[in-house]
Structures are given as structure tokens and as C-alpha cells.
């Protein structure tokens, strides 16, 4: 890096408990036990007000987690491959994944990671405490998002969505990919109890967070806390696309 070339400035916005826009330029590396030859940063976390933890990871040559990530009886995890070729082992099951590949590990199942190539692999990783439902249990799920068909989002032909996990009550969260063609937008500004952690995969847009319109682009991370106003307009020439988590299928607790 070295000496700065201009006045220091940042597009990041941090509103604890409400929302955060975290741009890649401000990230620093965090050492997380179990990860070797990896550069990683913690994004959303309980310190920001999120009930989950998100990480962005670059796995270098030989990058791995062979101790196993999570695996506690009440913690679930999810990984999405942004680039490269990675072996993900969920308990006894092995998956070789490339860009858009993902794995969900239910509570009690450790996730092992290994970069299979000499070049870097990039990952978006998530964990949260699972909210159990009596008689129900989620299971290991894997796939490649680019093999899942989009469907129209809210009856609009220029907004597209896909679900990465089963829409099943055994699961207390899901990951989705939402994509806006240039000039498309949400149908309304949402205000809902669920939280999101979103990683922007492509494009540019104006994002409404707490009723402020904020420019965002590929590589940005957004945390949206409960009830925070949220909506997007896509601008530019490429679709504005992001992968994001959303809690679901559970009542609010008193
Ligand atoms: O699923 C959602 O709540 C999604 N439409 N929210 C968002 O894109 N900010
Ligand atoms: Mn939402």
C-alpha cells in the first residue's frame, strides 16, 4: 500500500444496529483460528448489530481450514464460492465447487475448506445460531447457483430471484440471489423484521438504506438490520446482482 496518493476518504457507512455499507478498500485482515493461508475479513457481526457473522475470504495457494469451521450443536454455516476451485467437506460429504457453488452445514456439522488450485479462491462465508423447531432438522445442501433458474421477482420481468436453500420449514434461514436489470428496482421500499447480509456480485445501483439513497457497486457488502428501510434501483449497463441471507420460518420471540 504505502503512502496515500490523496486525501483519505471512504464510501463505507456504519450505523450500528441499523445498517452498514462496507466497501472493499477499508477492509483489514482478521486472523481467525483454523484458517491457514487465507486473507479474511469479518463483515457483519453481532458487534455491528447483526445476529449472524459474515466473512469475505481469499484462500491463497494451500489455503484451507482442516480443523473444521463451526460444528457446534446450535450453529449453522453457509459458504458461497465467488471464484476459484474449492473442496468443501460437510461432515462426511465432499463437494468440489467453482464460482457460484455453495454448501449449507446444519447445526452440529463442521465445514472443512481447501483451495484446490495454485491461484486464489474467493469465498463469502456465514454462520449463525440456529433457531430450532420441535421435530424439525435441516440437512446438508449443496449446489451451483448458476444451475438454478431465475424466476420473476414480485411479478416483475426485469427483476429476478433464485433461492439457494429449500423453502422448507426445517430451515430458519435462506440464501437468495436477487438481480435487477439496468433501470429495474424493488416494487416498494421494504421494512421488515428480517435481517440481511448482502454481497454485491455485479453491477451498480442506488440503494435505499434507512431512507437515504446511497451509491453501491460490485464488491460492496451491505448489512441491513431489522426493519431498516431497504430498496434498490439498478443503474449502469450490467445487472445489479447480490447474494444475501434472510432469516425465515420462525416466530418472533418475546
Ligand atoms: O427478500 C428480501 O427481503 C429482499 N427483497 N430484500 C432486499 O433485497 N433488500
Ligand atoms: Mn429485504
Amino acid at each position: 500500500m504505502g503512502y496515500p496518493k490523496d486525501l483519505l476518504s471512504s464510501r463505507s457507512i456504519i450505523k450500528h444496529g441499523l445498517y452498514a455499507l462496507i466497501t472493499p478498500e477499508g477492509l483489514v485482515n482478521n486472523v481467525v483460528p483454523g484458517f491457514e493461508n487465507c486473507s479474511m475479513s469479518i463483515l457483519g457481526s453481532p458487534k455491528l448489530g447483526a445476529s449472524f457473522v459474515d466473512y469475505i475470504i481469499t484462500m491463497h495457494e494451500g489455503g484451507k481450514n482442516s480443523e473444521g469451521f463451526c460444528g457446534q450443536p446450535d450453529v449453522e454455516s453457509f459458504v458461497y464460492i465467488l471464484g476459484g476451485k474449492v473442496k468443501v467437506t460437510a461432515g462426511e460429504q465432499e463437494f468440489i465447487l467453482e464460482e457460484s457453488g455453495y454448501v449449507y452445514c446444519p447445526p452440529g456439522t463442521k465445514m472443512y475448506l481447501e483451495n484446490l488450485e495454485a491461484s486464489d479462491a474467493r469465498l463469502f462465508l456465514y454462520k449463525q445460531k440456529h433457531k430450532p423447531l420441535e421435530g424439525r432438522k435441516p440437512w446438508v445442501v449443496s449446489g451451483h447457483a448458476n444451475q438454478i433458474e431465475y424466476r420473476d421477482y414480485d411479478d416483475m420481468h426485469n427483476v429476478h430471484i433464485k433461492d439457494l436453500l429449500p423453502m422448507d420449514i426445517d430451515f430458519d434461514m435462506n440464501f437468495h440471489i436477487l438481480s435487477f436489470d439496468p433501470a429495474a428496482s424493488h416494487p416498494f421500499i421494504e421494512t421488515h423484521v428480517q435481517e440481511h447480509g448482502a454481497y454485491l456480485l455485479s453491477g451498480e445501483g442506488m440503494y435505499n438504506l434507512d431512507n437515504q439513497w446511497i451509491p453501491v457497486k460490485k464488491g460492496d457488502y451491505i448489512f441491513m438490520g431489522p426493519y431498516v428501510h431497504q430498496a434498490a434501483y439498478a443503474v449502469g449497463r450490467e445487472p445489479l446482482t447480490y447474494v444475501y441471507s434472510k432469516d425465515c420460518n420462525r416466530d418472533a420471540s418475546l
Side-chain angles (χ1 to χ4, degrees):
M1 274 294 142
Y3 296 107
K5 297 197 172 41
D6 204 341
L7 293 176
L8 297 179
S9 66
S10 172
R11 287 190 300 112
S12 293
I13 304 173
I14 308 296
K15 304 276 183 192
H16 289 262
L18 203 55
Y19 71 89
L21 168 64
I22 299 181
T23 63
E25 306 78 33
L27 294 176
V28 299
N29 289 334
N30 302 127
V31 172
V32 178
F35 288 85
E36 294 174 50
N37 293 329
C38 292
S39 301
M40 57 195 295
S41 294
I42 296 170
L43 300 167
S45 78
K47 288 196 173 181
L48 190 59
S51 59
F52 51 81
V53 181
D54 280 330
Y55 310 79
I56 188 85
I57 306 178
T58 301
M59 298 187 103
H60 307 296
E61 184 173 6
K64 60 182 177 178
N65 184 330
S66 48
E67 283 178 18
F69 177 65
C70 296
Q72 300 89 328
D74 58 346
V75 179
E76 59 196 344
S77 61
F78 179 94
V79 67
Y80 183 90
I81 311 302
L82 299 165
K85 193 170 182 185
V86 178
K87 181 166 89 176
V88 182
T89 308
E92 306 288 291
Q93 302 182 52
E94 263 185 29
F95 305 97
I96 307 294
L97 302 174
E98 299 189 62
E99 186 181 341
S100 93
Y102 62 90
V103 174
Y104 166 82
C105 285
T109 300
K110 282 193 175 196
M111 177 188 286
Y112 302 88
L113 299 162
E114 186 185 338
N115 180 10
L116 293 178
E117 301 206 315
S119 50
D120 287 351
R122 296 191 61 247
L123 281 63
F124 183 50
L125 181 68
Y126 162 100
K127 68 174 179 183
Q128 85 158 356
K129 282 221 164 127
H130 176 72
K131 288 164 218 71
L133 188 63
E134 214 185 315
R136 301 290 189 152
K137 250 179 165 208
W139 53 92
V140 171
V141 179
S142 180
H144 276 92
N146 60 14
Q147 289 164 12
I148 300 174
E149 290 284 309
Y150 274 122
R151 63 177 195 280
D152 284 355
Y153 179 71
D154 259 7
D155 297 328
M156 295 184 293
H157 300 314
N158 57 358
V159 187
H160 321 281
I161 191 160
K162 50 179 85 170
D163 313 314
L164 306 192
L165 298 183
M167 297 294 247
D168 194 295
I169 199 140
D170 297 60
F171 291 79
D172 68 342
M173 48 74 69
N174 208 323
F175 264 80
H176 310 273
I177 294 183
L178 187 56
S179 186
F180 299 84
D181 294 347
S185 73
H186 279 86
F188 57 91
I189 295 184
E190 301 174 2
T191 46
H192 55 62
V193 66
Q194 296 95 335
E195 297 172 40
H196 302 307
Y199 183 79
L200 275 59
L201 299 169
S202 77
E204 297 178 2
M206 292 302 290
Y207 218 101
N208 187 305
L209 294 164
D210 195 30
N211 250 344
Q212 311 286 321
W213 288 101
I214 298 165
V216 296
K217 63 176 189 176
K218 176 179 174 174
D220 288 349
Y221 171 81
I222 305 174
F223 160 64
M224 296 170 237
Y227 302 104
V228 82
H229 295 82
Q230 54 194 265
Y233 283 110
V235 302
R237 293 182 181 82
E238 268 188 51
L240 171 67
T241 305
Y242 50 89
V243 57
Y244 69 101
S245 59
K246 183 172 186 177
D247 38 307
C248 58
N249 297 329
R250 297 293 181 270
D251 194 3
S253 42
L254 285 170

